[in-house]
Amino acid sequence: MKKIVLREDEMPTRWYNVVPDIPNGLLPPLDPETLQPIGPEKLATVFPMSLLEQEMSQERFIDIPQEVLEVYKIWRPSPLVRATKLEEALGTKAKIFFKNESVSPVGSHKPNSAVAQAYYNKREGVKRLTTETGAGQWGSALSLATSKFGMECKVYMVRVSYDQKPYRKFIMQAYGGEVVASPSMDTKTGREILTSDPDTPGSLGMAISEALEDASSRSDTNYALGSVLNHVVLHQSIVGLEAKRQMEIAGEFPDVVIGCCGGGSNFAGLVAPFVPDYLEGKKIEFHGYEPASCPSMTGGKLAYDSGDVAMMTPLLYMYTLGHNFVPPGIHAGGLRYHGMAPIVSALVREGIVIPKAVHQLECFEAGILFARTEGIIPAPESNHAIRGAIIEAMKDPNEPKTILFNLSGTGVIDMPSYDNYLTGKLSDYAYPQEQIEAALARLPKIG
Amino acid sequence: MKKIVLREDEMPTRWYNVVPDIPNGLLPPLDPETLQPIGPEKLATVFPMSLLEQEMSQERFIDIPQEVLEVYKIWRPSPLVRATKLEEALGTKAKIFFKNESVSPVGSHKPNSAVAQAYYNKREGVKRLTTETGAGQWGSALSLATSKFGMECKVYMVRVSYDQKPYRKFIMQAYGGEVVASPSMDTKTGREILTSDPDTPGSLGMAISEALEDASSRSDTNYALGSVLNHVVLHQSIVGLEAKRQMEIAGEFPDVVIGCCGGGSNFAGLVAPFVPDYLEGKKIEFHGYEPASCPSMTGGKLAYDSGDVAMMTPLLYMYTLGHNFVPPGIHAGGLRYHGMAPIVSALVREGIVIPKAVHQLECFEAGILFARTEGIIPAPESNHAIRGAIIEAMKDPNEPKTILFNLSGTGVIDMPSYDNYLTGKLSDYAYPQEQIEAALARLPKIG
């Protein structure tokens, strides 16, 4: 068998919530004004109650609504694949498996949460969602999701991506999403930024601020976030739940589980369902691969910090480079975030997740090898996971270990980055630690 | 069930060759110099013997080599999906099923033949393949296929696409393919064209001539064609063989089978395995949808004609607009070919396939409706099939008929065409019949 494919009726019907299983638990999000734990009533202006309940939930399993399962079936269950040709090319005795989340209609794992978020908002009477997007993976996932539930969607897309990476903008529009370059004239925040700096390339932080302002100002509108938060990790757990069942069918249990880490959602989604096995004493490692150019776990510190530049979000207890950190523009879009999901951060704190940093050239090299052996061009983000799998397989090529990684997305909508790599336009860049320390020194002092 | 998914061990292990079942058979290809039936020895300079045997075969079933099946398993078997949300949006009692060939790593059905062609060439000692490509679907499929068998690949890509649609060029390069804009300085043909017209946008006809010259001039190199020929249709029959089995599992038999038609390969691949049912008297219709801007079946005539502008290919007996026909540039790339596969042409001649022409605006409208209901953005080519399915479903919305169409590709690598549609830059265009007649009058006189 090359692939293990589950039938639709074998798809998990409950998400797994890892929060109650994290030793020493999570610290609560704080109100940025009072620095006290934030209550759901304050967040309810931009989030539906059902998602806030999931955000705070201590239940281990939460039913997936039938309406969400129906949309998942457009592409789920996703295949688990044995990368036999990659193994042969490496000359390793390791078995390398990957969970193929690139098969969704927008080419990434992002719809796993987008569909759930759109559903719960719709059920609570919300007609319109706003969000921010960088390269466009999350924006296209949310546009797909809102189209399935007859909702409107407005995406604030970082201007430099809006201008230079039009394909995902067009994908959002094909699904009926409204896309504007951020900063835009549509919000007070955007107008102020444009007044002082008309030629700004924009940033994710600015786009978050605009999307939040829009959602706060309209009663029919909520806001949706594609990573970092607990309910996003919950929804992504379907990745690991399926993979675990598929590994069982293959007669395997992974020695190492690997994913790339930006905000942490695809990594946590794959890893979380295996955490109880770890806690029961099973021999299993979890490796989170982040770019050396944006090393929140390996270069940052665990602290309360804001999710956006304007400090409109609650303060989250997470590994962070400081919310003013601006990673170099040329590196993998989806991994350019200053913070790490509180769930992943807590797993790192407890020594359960081992963080690793890799450089982009070695990641693209791994991606090209993967394309020419396994036939699939990976997303630049996913190349970090592939690099990790190769490192693990080659530590001792004679050791017959079992490796599982998450192929979080396809590269075919991101081909200019491969062209930049193949034509020698990319270089490695490790963020200077002193600059990181300086950014961290500006964090709010809490406790 | 939303999708019917076969297990890998349920995948067909033989292709079906419809040629022996076509009433009154096919007329042989002719040597363009002698106008006599062309022998395999002349074609053997650019094709391997095993493919030439398949081209002439009268066997109904041909085993799929194990090595080809292994590569197919990267994405095959492909899903059969019930388009329930499209049905609901239309308010029809028809059941609409689609075979989802968009799931391959390059986003189309093209690898079904590319993988087989690369394999047979490799087996006969060929080290390098050349081909032409327009928008790049076929070139990317062949680059994927050659990478799987450790072969080199050189793709002559029509210059206007090379410059304006770089994503598929980058995909070919990621797989290790060499891509040049055609006309190029790498061939005598290319140099001559560039000398007389340095700013030519290129054409598929010029690119075919360059690829053929390259393959003819090197003993280690053969040529590969992505549509039209009998062996391509043979390889694509896996689409229909799987779909037939999946329809049986769904407890259905189609009243109408629909596909878009450019060279005819995806359409014939889906339709062929159902032709024996038709011949046994079962009630089933086959509708081939072509663009009104390039109407080979509905506007052309059945005649011997060349496959390329330079008349280097054998003369094929097919519906054609004349090999000098130049369709308008803006229309769906994959359907801009002057001829139609001899197999499809013969099925039209016998009244088994019913040809239809549609305009591009109604096709994009159908594609947008499909994206917003079924969640998948179709290739512009596939929109012609979706339009056909909608026409059929809405003839009498109260008739509970069963419709099956081929979703031959994804649109996510072709998004600028959707942007052109959504921003009002496209218009309908029916090629004037008098211009077609004039082009046809220039065809060689045979028999």
Side-chain angles (χ1 to χ4, degrees):
Chain A
M1 281 279 189
K2 179 75 182 163
K3 302 188 292 298
I4 311 286
V5 179
L6 300 174
R7 294 191 313 270
E8 283 183 359
D9 59 8
E10 293 174 310
M11 192 161 77
T13 56
R14 300 186 303 172
W15 291 301
Y16 165 66
N17 178 23
V18 72
V19 172
D21 286 324
I22 299 177
N24 303 308
L26 297 181
L27 292 185
L30 304 184
D31 187 321
E33 292 168 20
T34 64
L35 300 187
Q36 295 302 309
I38 197 164
E41 66 291 343
K42 193 149 182 183
L43 296 169
T45 54
V46 294
F47 289 114
M49 280 313 296
S50 37
L51 288 180
L52 291 173
E53 283 163 18
Q54 291 181 357
E55 189 65 23
M56 314 292 180
S57 175
Q58 290 289 326
E59 295 293 322
R60 280 190 173 75
F61 288 96
I62 294 175
D63 285 343
I64 307 175
Q66 195 57 43
E67 293 85 346
V68 173
L69 287 172
E70 283 307 311
V71 182
Y72 278 176
K73 287 178 188 171
I74 294 174
W75 73 96
R76 303 206 73 85
S78 72
L80 178 83
V81 187
R82 171 94 183 265
T84 45
K85 296 294 173 185
L86 176 62
E87 294 169 13
E88 284 172 26
L90 293 172
T92 178
K93 286 194 176 142
K95 294 175 189 164
I96 305 176
F97 290 85
F98 63 92
K99 179 67 170 165
N100 190 357
E101 289 293 306
S102 77
V103 297
S104 87
V106 293
S108 82
H109 68 292
K110 291 288 185 189
N112 295 331
S113 185
V115 171
Q117 292 189 46
Y119 166 76
Y120 288 114
N121 274 289
K122 170 80 172 187
R123 205 183 59 176
E124 296 188 27
V126 175
K127 294 192 164 49
R128 182 172 170 274
L129 289 176
T130 64
T131 197
E132 73 289 337
T133 203
Q137 287 98 330
W138 171 246
S140 49
L142 195 67
S143 297
L144 160 64
T146 49
S147 81
K148 294 301 293 175
F149 294 106
M151 304 171 75
E152 290 175 52
C153 184
K154 179 154 179 179
V155 182
Y156 293 87
M157 185 174 190
V158 177
R159 172 169 292 281
V160 61
S161 296
Y162 183 94
D163 291 337
Q164 291 176 7
K165 295 189 172 179
Y167 275 57
R168 284 213 178 81
K169 172 177 70 185
F170 299 152
I171 289 174
M172 295 180 240
Q173 290 167 335
Y175 284 123
E178 183 188 351
V179 192
V180 288
S182 170
S184 74
M185 294 299 286
D186 297 0
T187 66
K188 187 168 163 290
T189 309
R191 287 187 296 270
E192 284 175 4
I193 298 170
L194 286 174
T195 303
S196 64
D197 184 5
D199 297 324
T200 175
S203 76
L204 217 42
M206 295 177 197
I208 293 178
S209 304
E210 287 204 88
L212 277 170
E213 181 191 321
D214 181 333
S216 306
S217 66
R218 281 179 60 163
S219 63
D220 66 346
T221 299
N222 267 349
Y223 168 75
L225 191 67
S227 193
V228 179
L229 298 180
N230 298 350
H231 66 267
V232 180
V233 171
L234 172 75
H235 304 150
Q236 293 295 351
S237 71
I238 190 157
V239 176
L241 290 165
E242 283 183 7
K244 202 167 164 179
R245 199 168 297 185
Q246 288 164 311
M247 291 296 282
E248 281 166 19
I249 293 170
E252 301 283 346
F253 187 81
D255 297 299
V256 193
V257 183
I258 294 170
C260 64
C261 293
S265 75
N266 93 78
F267 175 71
L270 178 62
V271 159
F274 291 98
V275 167
D277 300 286
Y278 174 94
L279 297 172
E280 285 165 14
K282 273 206 180 169
K283 188 191 149 297
I284 181 169
E285 292 183 11
F286 308 113
H287 296 185
Y289 276 84
E290 61 186 10
S293 58
C294 189
S296 56
M297 297 182 291
T298 57
K301 75 170 182 180
L302 187 58
Y304 269 111
D305 194 10
S306 175
D308 69 322
V309 180
M311 295 197 66
M312 294 173 76
T313 73
L315 300 179
L316 302 172
Y317 193 66
M318 59 184 180
Y319 278 94
T320 179
L321 296 162
H323 57 267
N324 288 307
F325 179 87
V326 180
I330 206 162
H331 294 67
L335 305 181
R336 298 175 66 239
Y337 188 68
H338 67 275
M340 184 52 57
I343 286 175
V344 175
S345 296
L347 292 170
V348 171
R349 178 195 68 198
E350 297 301 317
I352 298 173
V353 161
I354 304 165
K356 313 242 180 189
V358 277
H359 287 278
Q360 73 169 346
L361 293 185
E362 60 183 326
C363 292
F364 273 106
E365 183 190 21
I368 289 287
L369 177 63
F370 188 81
R372 294 179 188 178
T373 51
E374 293 301 316
I376 300 171
I377 301 175
E381 293 84 358
S382 311
N383 286 342
H384 293 69
I386 296 170
R387 183 70 201 163
I390 292 173
I391 289 171
E392 213 44 45
M394 299 310 286
K395 256 184 200 163
D396 176 0
N398 288 314
E399 192 190 340
K401 66 172 73 164
T402 301
I403 298 166
L404 168 63
F405 75 87
N406 199 0
L407 185 74
S408 56
T410 173
V412 297
I413 318 175
D414 271 316
M415 291 313 297
S417 61
Y418 277 90
D419 181 53
N420 286 335
Y421 169 68
L422 290 171
T423 55
K425 296 198 188 93
L426 297 188
S427 58
D428 283 339
Y429 182 83
Y431 218 85
Q433 192 64 30
E434 58 271 32
Q435 287 187 36
I436 292 173
E437 299 295 340
L440 290 173
R442 292 198 297 271
L443 284 191
K445 303 282 176 266
I446 294 158
Chain B
M1 282 280 190
K2 177 73 182 165
K3 303 188 292 296
I4 310 286
V5 180
L6 299 175
R7 295 189 313 269
E8 283 184 357
D9 60 7
E10 294 173 311
M11 194 161 77
T13 56
R14 301 185 302 173
W15 290 301
Y16 164 66
N17 178 22
V18 71
V19 172
D21 286 325
I22 299 176
N24 304 308
L26 297 182
L27 291 184
L30 303 184
D31 187 320
E33 292 169 20
T34 65
L35 302 188
Q36 296 301 309
I38 197 164
E41 67 290 343
K42 192 146 184 184
L43 296 170
T45 54
V46 293
F47 290 113
M49 280 313 296
S50 37
L51 288 179
L52 291 173
E53 282 163 18
Q54 291 182 357
E55 189 64 24
M56 313 290 181
S57 175
Q58 290 291 324
E59 295 294 320
R60 281 190 171 76
F61 288 96
I62 293 175
D63 285 345
I64 307 175
Q66 194 58 41
E67 293 86 346
V68 173
L69 287 172
E70 285 306 310
V71 181
Y72 278 177
K73 286 177 188 171
I74 294 174
W75 74 97
R76 303 207 70 86
S78 72
L80 178 83
V81 187
R82 172 94 183 263
T84 45
K85 295 294 175 186
L86 176 62
E87 295 168 13
E88 284 171 25
L90 293 171
T92 178
K93 287 197 175 136
K95 294 175 189 166
I96 305 176
F97 290 86
F98 63 93
K99 179 67 169 164
N100 189 357
E101 289 294 306
S102 77
V103 297
S104 87
V106 292
S108 81
H109 67 291
K110 292 286 185 189
N112 295 331
S113 186
V115 171
Q117 292 189 45
Y119 166 75
Y120 287 114
N121 274 288
K122 170 81 172 185
R123 205 183 61 178
E124 296 187 27
V126 175
K127 294 192 166 48
R128 182 172 170 273
L129 289 177
T130 64
T131 197
E132 74 289 338
T133 202
Q137 287 98 329
W138 171 246
S140 49
L142 195 68
S143 297
L144 160 64
T146 49
S147 81
K148 293 301 293 175
F149 294 106
M151 304 171 75
E152 291 176 51
C153 183
K154 178 152 180 181
V155 181
Y156 293 86
M157 186 173 189
V158 177
R159 173 168 292 282
V160 60
S161 295
Y162 184 94
D163 291 337
Q164 292 176 6
K165 296 188 172 179
Y167 276 56
R168 283 213 177 81
K169 172 177 68 185
F170 300 151
I171 290 175
M172 294 180 239
Q173 291 166 337
Y175 285 122
E178 183 188 353
V179 191
V180 288
S182 169
S184 74
M185 294 299 286
D186 298 0
T187 67
K188 186 166 164 291
T189 310
R191 287 188 295 271
E192 285 175 3
I193 297 170
L194 286 174
T195 304
S196 65
D197 183 4
D199 297 324
T200 175
S203 75
L204 216 44
M206 295 176 194
I208 293 177
S209 303
E210 288 203 86
L212 277 169
E213 182 191 320
D214 182 332
S216 306
S217 66
R218 281 180 60 163
S219 63
D220 67 345
T221 301
N222 267 348
Y223 167 76
L225 190 67
S227 190
V228 180
L229 298 180
N230 298 349
H231 66 268
V232 180
V233 171
L234 172 74
H235 304 151
Q236 293 294 352
S237 71
I238 192 159
V239 177
L241 290 166
E242 283 183 8
K244 201 168 165 179
R245 200 168 297 186
Q246 289 165 309
M247 291 295 281
E248 281 166 17
I249 293 170
E252 301 283 347
F253 186 82
D255 297 300
V256 191
V257 182
I258 294 170
C260 64
C261 292
S265 75
N266 94 80
F267 174 70
L270 178 62
V271 159
F274 291 98
V275 167
D277 300 284
Y278 173 93
L279 296 172
E280 284 166 14
K282 272 203 182 172
K283 189 191 149 295
I284 181 169
E285 291 185 12
F286 307 113
H287 296 183
Y289 276 83
E290 63 186 9
S293 58
C294 189
S296 57
M297 296 182 291
T298 57
K301 75 170 182 181
L302 187 59
Y304 270 111
D305 193 10
S306 175
D308 69 322
V309 179
M311 294 194 68
M312 294 175 77
T313 73
L315 300 179
L316 301 173
Y317 194 65
M318 59 184 179
Y319 278 94
T320 178
L321 297 162
H323 58 267
N324 288 307
F325 179 87
V326 180
I330 205 163
H331 294 69
L335 305 181
R336 296 175 67 238
Y337 188 68
H338 67 275
M340 184 52 57
I343 286 175
V344 175
S345 296
L347 292 171
V348 171
R349 176 195 70 199
E350 297 300 317
I352 298 172
V353 162
I354 304 165
K356 313 242 180 189
V358 278
H359 287 278
Q360 74 169 346
L361 292 185
E362 59 184 327
C363 292
F364 273 106
E365 183 189 23
I368 289 286
L369 177 63
F370 188 81
R372 295 180 187 177
T373 51
E374 294 300 316
I376 301 170
I377 301 175
E381 293 84 359
S382 311
N383 286 342
H384 292 70
I386 296 171
R387 183 69 201 162
I390 293 173
I391 289 170
E392 212 47 43
M394 299 310 285
K395 256 185 200 163
D396 176 0
N398 288 314
E399 192 189 340
K401 68 172 73 164
T402 300
I403 298 166
L404 168 63
F405 75 87
N406 199 2
L407 185 73
S408 55
T410 173
V412 297
I413 319 173
D414 271 316
M415 291 312 297
S417 61
Y418 277 91
D419 182 52
N420 285 336
Y421 170 68
L422 291 172
T423 54
K425 296 197 189 95
L426 299 187
S427 58
D428 284 338
Y429 182 83
Y431 218 84
Q433 192 62 32
E434 57 271 31
Q435 288 187 34
I436 292 173
E437 297 294 340
L440 291 172
R442 291 197 297 270
L443 284 190
K445 302 283 176 267
I446 294 156

